[in-house]
């Protein structure tokens, strides 16, 4: 996922100019802007819908080695509950912090650099959001999931149960002493 591009894409709303900060440590700028979410921001099960609003509240500070970016990204989330498959809609605020080194600094693979007096927040945003998202999102902490026999959403009626008539397919499993997963 590491793409090192040496040319700044100034059309991207996630690319910010840092020229006016100069190279002197100590200058600071605050940036508040709403940008459209880039594609594929998230995991397969939950993520930020492409084009939805992301509210960035950032502080850009010139430090000795580069520009330190810190702040928050408030995003919309859309996904599906891992247990009952219902849609999950939500909002979440993620913290960002990243040092972009001045050109000339030898950067490691996981470090970022100022390119043509700009910083590209795309990767920073991805790291902040994707690393924090749950691999098994739930519609609520105690989601009851689906009935393993008929797929009924047990959240709608926790007392849902079947007559003792065991489906023939499960009966076979019962003979083998294997329980269906739920
Ligand atoms: Zn659920
Ligand atoms: Zn059922």
């Amino acid at each position: 996922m590491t793409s090192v591009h040496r040319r700044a894409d100034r059309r991207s709303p996630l690319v910010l100019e840092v020229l006016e900060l100069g190279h002197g440590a100590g200058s600071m700028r605050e940036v508040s802007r709403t940008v459209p979410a880039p594609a594929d921001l998230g995991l397969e099960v939950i993520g930020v819908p492409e084009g939805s609003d992301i509210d960035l509240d950032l502080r850009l500070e010139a430090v000795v080695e580069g520009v330190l970016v810190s702040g928050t990204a408030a995003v919309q989330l859309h996904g599906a509950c891992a247990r009952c498959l219902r849609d999950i809609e939500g909002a979440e605020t993620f913290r960002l912090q990243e040092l972009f080194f001045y050109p000339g600094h030898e950067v490691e693979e996981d470090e970022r650099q100022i390119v043509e007096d700009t910083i590209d927040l795309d990767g920073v945003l991805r790291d902040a959001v994707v690393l924090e998202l749950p691999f098994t999102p739930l519609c609520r902490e105690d989601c009851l999931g689906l009935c393993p026999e008929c797929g009924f959403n047990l959240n709608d009626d926790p007392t849902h149960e079947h007559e003792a008539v065991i489906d023939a397919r499960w009966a076979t499993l019962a003979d083998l002493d294997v329980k269906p997963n739920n």
Side-chain angles (χ1 to χ4, degrees), residues 39-49 77-82 85-88 126 129-131 133-137:
D40 304 318
L41 181 57
L43 306 170
E44 207 165 307
V45 283
I46 189 163
V48 182
L77 289 176
H78 179 83
C81 175
L85 311 178
R86 249 180 206 167
D87 279 355
I88 300 177
R126 280 176 200 285
V129 172
V130 175
L131 295 178
L133 287 175
F135 284 104
T136 53

Side-chain angles (χ1 to χ4, degrees), residues 166-180:
I166 299 173
D167 184 291
R169 286 166 301 168
W170 296 142
T172 316
L173 291 174
D175 287 345
L176 295 168
D177 199 25
V178 176
K179 296 272 183 320

Side-chain angles (χ1 to χ4, degrees), residues 95-168:
R95 290 208 63 79
L96 312 177
Q97 186 166 51
E98 187 74 29
L99 175 61
F100 286 80
F101 288 96
Y102 291 125
H105 174 96
E106 198 69 27
V107 288
E108 305 286 331
E109 202 176 315
D110 60 344
E111 291 178 333
R112 299 178 203 280
Q113 200 150 33
I114 295 169
V115 177
E116 296 174 351
D117 296 311
T118 66
I119 58 173
D120 188 346
L121 296 173
D122 187 275
V124 180
L125 187 63
R126 280 176 200 285
D127 287 354
V129 172
V130 175
L131 295 178
E132 291 289 322
L133 287 175
F135 284 104
T136 53
L138 298 177
C139 61
R140 55 176 222 229
E141 217 39 55
D142 58 349
C143 170
L144 298 172
L146 303 176
C147 169
E149 288 186 50
C150 70
F152 177 81
N153 190 325
L154 297 173
N155 298 303
D156 292 339
D157 178 9
T159 65
H160 168 87
E161 59 181 21
H162 291 261
E163 300 289 326
V165 185
I166 299 173
D167 184 291

